[in-house]
Amino acid sequence: MLPAPRFTAFNPPRRILMGPGPSDVYPEVLAAQSRPTVGHLDPLFVGMMDELKSLIQYAFQTKNEMTMAVSAPGSAGMETCFVNLVEPGEKVIVCRNGVFGERMRQNVERMGAIAVLVDNEWGTPVDPAAVEAALKANPDAKFLAFVHAETSTGALSDAKTLCALAKQYGCLSIVDAVTSLGGVELRVDEWGIDAIYSGSQKCLSCVPGLSPVSFSPAAVEKLKNRKTPVQSWFLDQSLVMAYWTSAGGKRSYHHTAPVNALYALHESLRLLAEEGLENAWQRHHEMHLVLRAGLEKLGLNFVVAEDYRLPQLNTVYIPEGVDDAAVRTRLLKDYNLEIGAGLGALAGKAWRIGLMGFGARRENVALCLKALEEVLN
Ligand SMILES: Cc1ncc(COP(=O)(O)O)c(C=O)c1O
């Protein structure tokens, strides 16, 4: 027998999360998560799941039937989209302007498919002209994949234009909306997005670990007509949907749903619907303007040009001679405030300041500016 380890209960402090995610979770969401666990096929739970599906449809602005939450984080949502749609040997145009576009490439290649890369400089959006050139040069491409809001840089790409290009050239679009959902305009049906995934822990201000996804009728058709089985049993949408839809009033067991985490997502999306999507987009924009004015006053410069800046993820260069890690450690220790380090090409060069969901509010902006001013001085 190994001796039983004895620890005290884990009791984290209340941090103010202003990094690239997870973001501050709504108190109502934390309360929802701690409600009694019921069976995942309990009729009351199933009723909640029906509501949850319509809340996800509202957040994505879609009527897509195949809409649900993957029981795993955003990376699993990404993999769900690629593994269900892309078959070995197929060509995918993958746009790379940061860390997460590169992850799309890795997904495509691990699936035995071919990634045609459209590279854009870090901190810039995906260039529609470069995408069109790639679509023209690769008439056999079946998909266009890109990240709407690149969390590694803070750049917003024009999803509407990119999806219209995909359609024009006969491709299905696969869109990463992990950081964009709830923070900036996103209209799945109107923009003709075919497959989209997000994460619970960014602008939805829910607990981490869930990934809302949605597939258009055209994407569902592609899935139905696959010549090869979906490589992943767990992520196979045709199996998962038997649990997420009550066909003939019956749901069948696929996996044990993360019951309490789904209560949390239901509550966070309910709060989003109560606020109204457009109001939430506007709030993120307004808080970004207040933060931007303060950061500029401190002499901090943005990495991304104004036209493409994400309001929910503000990336600023670290001033010359300032110790990146020392500043972030002091913010955490003295102010309970977390901001994000730079990622990939921006590691050690930039900070990423998140204004996501419940975190996009005036008192957070004020605290962040005051703390940065004191620490930098
Ligand atoms: C744009 C983007 N895509 C995908 C992911 C992966 O999500 P997760 O960390 O929830 O697996 C992230 C996480 O930060 C992200 O920002």
Side-chain angles (χ1 to χ4, degrees):
M1 283 287 280
L2 287 175
R6 300 265 180 237
F7 300 117
T8 51
F10 179 59
N11 208 349
R14 190 167 287 283
R15 303 269 201 227
I16 293 129
L17 299 178
M18 295 185 73
S23 62
D24 271 355
V25 176
Y26 286 107
E28 294 93 327
V29 169
L30 288 176
Q33 172 148 289
S34 66
R35 292 191 185 124
T37 304
V38 296
H40 69 119
L41 290 168
D42 185 306
L44 289 176
F45 185 68
V46 163
M48 195 265 330
M49 282 177 78
D50 284 337
E51 290 184 7
L52 181 52
K53 182 171 162 180
S54 61
L55 286 164
I56 300 172
Q57 286 171 324
Y58 169 72
F60 276 138
Q61 290 291 289
T62 184
K63 294 195 174 114
N64 288 341
E65 250 323 294
M66 194 178 273
T67 298
M68 41 86 68
V70 178
S71 303
S75 306
M78 180 187 284
E79 199 143 337
T80 295
C81 289
F82 285 101
V83 85
N84 278 278
L85 298 179
V86 181
E87 291 195 73
E90 288 185 332
K91 232 183 215 185
V92 186
I93 301 202
V94 176
C95 306
R96 254 189 340 187
N97 60 338
V99 162
F100 296 100
E102 162 55 18
R103 284 208 189 160
M104 287 179 149
R105 177 192 71 77
Q106 292 177 25
N107 265 269
V108 168
E109 292 184 352
R110 280 176 186 236
M111 250 137 248
I114 303 153
V116 175
L117 297 171
V118 174
D119 278 323
N120 282 109
E121 210 175 304
W122 280 54
T124 66
V126 174
D127 174 14
V131 168
E132 183 157 23
L135 286 164
K136 268 191 186 145
N138 295 276
D140 54 339
K142 294 241 165 43
F143 303 93
L144 170 69
F146 67 90
V147 179
H148 187 205
E150 201 16 286
T151 326
S152 58
T153 67
L156 176 69
S157 288
D158 181 352
K160 184 180 179 182
T161 300
L162 293 171
C163 290
L165 277 172
K167 205 128 283 173
Q168 188 185 331
Y169 287 86
C171 284
L172 294 176
S173 50
I174 300 179
V175 180
D176 179 317
V178 171
T179 284
S180 59
L181 183 66
V184 284
E185 185 179 14
L186 172 62
R187 301 177 192 272
V188 168
D189 287 358
E190 206 179 306
W191 296 354
I193 294 173
D194 290 300
I196 190 159
Y197 58 92
S198 188
S200 49
Q201 79 279 23
K202 310 265 186 192
C203 296
L204 302 184
S205 275
C206 181
V207 293
L210 291 170
S211 177
V213 297
S214 186
F215 289 75
S216 74
V220 173
E221 236 1 75
K222 174 77 172 75
L223 171 56
K224 278 190 187 151
N225 292 317
R226 284 182 67 104
K227 294 177 200 71
T228 53
V230 173
Q231 293 97 323
S232 163
W233 180 87
F234 182 65
L235 300 178
D236 184 339
Q237 279 298 99
S238 47
L239 302 177
V240 181
M241 284 314 285
Y243 178 57
W244 272 86
T245 37
S246 338
K250 232 182 121 31
R251 283 176 195 245
S252 44
Y253 165 70
H254 176 263
H255 64 277
T256 307
V259 169
N260 294 59
L262 291 176
Y263 300 166
L265 186 62
H266 179 277
E267 183 61 12
S268 71
L269 288 169
R270 197 190 65 74
L271 290 170
L272 177 66
E274 197 170 84
E275 179 178 14
L277 253 187
E278 284 165 318
N279 293 333
W281 299 338
Q282 181 62 22
R283 174 171 53 82
H284 282 86
H285 175 67
E286 282 167 13
M287 290 306 101
H288 159 75
L289 293 182
V290 181
L291 180 71
R292 184 188 79 181
L295 292 173
E296 285 174 352
K297 236 184 186 169
L298 293 175
L300 297 169
N301 298 314
F302 276 80
V303 170
V304 178
E306 201 172 333
D307 287 352
Y308 315 109
R309 250 174 232 165
L310 284 171
Q312 65 269 51
L313 206 271
N314 297 267
T315 311
V316 287
Y317 287 111
I318 300 168
E320 198 111 342
V322 168
D323 183 335
D324 169 24
V327 169
R328 284 185 294 105
T329 304
R330 263 205 67 198
L331 291 175
L332 198 62
K333 276 200 173 151
D334 297 352
Y335 300 85
N336 257 322
L337 172 67
E338 179 182 282
I339 66 165
L343 199 59
L346 292 171
K349 296 187 186 138
W351 289 317
R352 292 179 299 154
I353 304 174
L355 285 174
M356 297 180 175
F358 180 54
R361 58 190 205 279
R362 229 164 258 281
E363 56 265 46
N364 275 22
V365 175
L367 171 86
C368 178
L369 290 171
K370 183 169 177 290
L372 267 175
E373 184 181 10
E374 288 175 4
V375 172
L376 287 174
N377 285 335

